[in-house]
């Protein structure tokens, strides 16, 4: 079974702090994604990566950056956390085999910025 | 650009009854894939079922089936014999847009909250 592990289930940070959300997958997947989930808005793509050191902006990249130094690890960075970044963050991975490859998700990190 | 629409914010169904969750999509790509995910209150996203645009038959996975009507651009999820454990958010998703290097993003709808009544 594919396992995608997010380092924290719940996180509380203060405005202006630098925040790191870590994600590790154990299935040698090429693609990794960071989504943000908010009530009534569904899942929105922040950033994704299709190879080590490669990154692409999603629909809402503002205020975020990412790092992928190793194939199994994809980090989301909030350079200066703000209250409007309070949300559920979901990491996912998939193989690069085409249109029928489902995304496998981690359990999510619920971030609160106060 | 791809777009997924789920028009039912919330649905109720009696235990052991069947329920249909609606999903319509919009794309200009001739080849595409459609997915349904389940998200229980615990938060994890669980992959349920996949339908390819060229698949001749509707996809089925146990109690889940996908009613795929290509001309209408709809991909409704049918859950037969509902169980209390089916209470969750359900998301329809479509592959696209193309991300480069042979990979694709998934575009999600806003979800439908299903509540199963005993």
């Amino acid at each position: 079974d594919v396992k995608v592990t997010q380092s924290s289930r719940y996180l509380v940070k203060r405005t202006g702090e630098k925040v790191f959300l870590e994600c590790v997958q154990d299935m040698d997947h090429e693609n990794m994604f960071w989504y943000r989930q908010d009530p009534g808005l569904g899942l929105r793509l922040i950033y994704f990566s299709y190879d080590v050191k490669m990154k692409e902006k999603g629909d809402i990249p503002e205020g975020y950056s990412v790092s992928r130094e190793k194939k199994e690890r994809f980090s989301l960075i909030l350079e200066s956390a703000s209250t409007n970044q309070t949300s559920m963050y979901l990491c996912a991975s998939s193989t690069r085999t085409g249109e029928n490859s489902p995304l496998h998700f981690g359990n999510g990190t619920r971030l609160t910025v106060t | 650009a791809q777009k997924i629409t789920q028009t039912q914010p919330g649905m109720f169904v009696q235990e052991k009854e069947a329920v249909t969750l609606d999903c319509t999509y919009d794309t200009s790509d001739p080849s595409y894939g459609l997915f349904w995910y389940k998200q229980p209150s615990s938060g994890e996203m669980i992959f349920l079922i996949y339908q390819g645009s060229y698949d001749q038959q509707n996809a089925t996975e146990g109690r889940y089936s996908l009613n795929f009507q290509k001309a209408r651009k709809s991909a409704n999820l049918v859950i037969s014999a509902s169980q209390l454990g089916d209470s969750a958010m359900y998301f329809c998703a479509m592959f696209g847009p193309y991300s480069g290097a042979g990979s694709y993003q998934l575009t999600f709808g806003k979800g439908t909250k299903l509540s199963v009544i005993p």
Side-chain angles (χ1 to χ4, degrees):
Chain A
D1 265 1
V2 177
K3 190 159 175 108
V4 179
T5 303
Q6 294 183 231
S7 55
S8 303
R9 191 81 175 93
Y10 298 95
L11 212 51
V12 180
K13 295 292 181 181
R14 294 195 180 275
T15 301
E17 276 192 79
K18 190 169 186 175
V19 182
F20 292 85
L21 302 183
E22 306 286 349
C23 176
V24 177
Q25 50 95 2
D26 67 357
M27 283 301 291
D28 203 36
H29 283 172
E30 291 84 1
N31 303 324
M32 295 190 75
F33 306 82
W34 275 106
Y35 283 88
R36 170 178 172 160
Q37 183 179 16
D38 300 288
L41 297 178
L43 277 76
R44 293 177 292 167
L45 182 65
I46 305 172
Y47 266 98
F48 63 96
S49 167
Y50 53 83
D51 207 345
V52 176
K53 296 192 186 294
M54 304 299 291
K55 60 184 179 184
E56 294 286 340
K57 293 180 179 179
D59 300 321
I60 51 164
E62 296 79 18
Y64 303 94
S65 62
V66 291
S67 171
R68 193 165 181 203
E69 296 297 317
K70 294 185 177 182
K71 191 174 184 180
E72 68 271 17
R73 186 180 295 271
F74 192 36
S75 303
L76 180 69
I77 304 156
L78 287 65
E79 294 290 342
S80 177
S82 63
T83 54
N84 62 12
Q85 292 178 309
T86 292
S87 187
M88 170 72 97
Y89 291 87
L90 290 163
C91 175
S93 70
S94 72
T95 62
R96 195 189 303 160
T97 56
E99 297 170 325
N100 62 347
S101 301
L103 266 62
H104 300 270
F105 284 85
N107 286 345
T109 295
R110 192 169 292 281
L111 173 67
T112 302
V113 183
T114 61
Chain B
Q2 279 76 4
K3 186 178 178 183
I4 294 281
T5 303
Q6 294 181 253
T7 57
Q8 306 152 314
M11 290 275 291
F12 290 90
V13 64
Q14 205 76 37
E15 196 178 4
K16 299 180 185 177
E17 299 284 311
V19 63
T20 298
L21 306 183
D22 294 342
C23 173
T24 57
Y25 60 90
D26 191 19
T27 181
S28 55
D29 291 335
S31 177
Y32 50 88
L34 294 153
F35 297 78
W36 277 91
Y37 282 83
K38 172 184 178 181
Q39 187 181 40
S41 56
S42 52
E44 75 270 30
M45 293 282 283
I46 303 167
F47 165 64
L48 294 178
I49 196 166
Y50 165 81
Q51 178 83 43
S53 58
Y54 292 119
D55 292 344
Q56 294 297 314
Q57 293 189 323
N58 288 341
T60 60
E61 288 287 346
R63 293 186 299 110
Y64 303 108
S65 61
L66 204 152
N67 184 2
F68 181 48
Q69 298 187 45
K70 196 170 181 178
R72 291 187 172 186
K73 293 190 174 179
S74 75
N76 298 338
L77 177 71
V78 180
I79 305 174
S80 63
S82 298
Q83 301 172 357
L84 295 178
D86 294 334
S87 294
M89 283 289 289
Y90 289 82
F91 292 94
C92 181
M94 161 181 266
F95 254 123
Y98 182 67
S99 309
S103 68
Y104 292 82
Q105 303 174 47
L106 264 191
T107 299
F108 285 83
K110 293 183 180 179
T112 295
K113 184 172 183 179
L114 178 67
S115 299
V116 180
I117 305 165

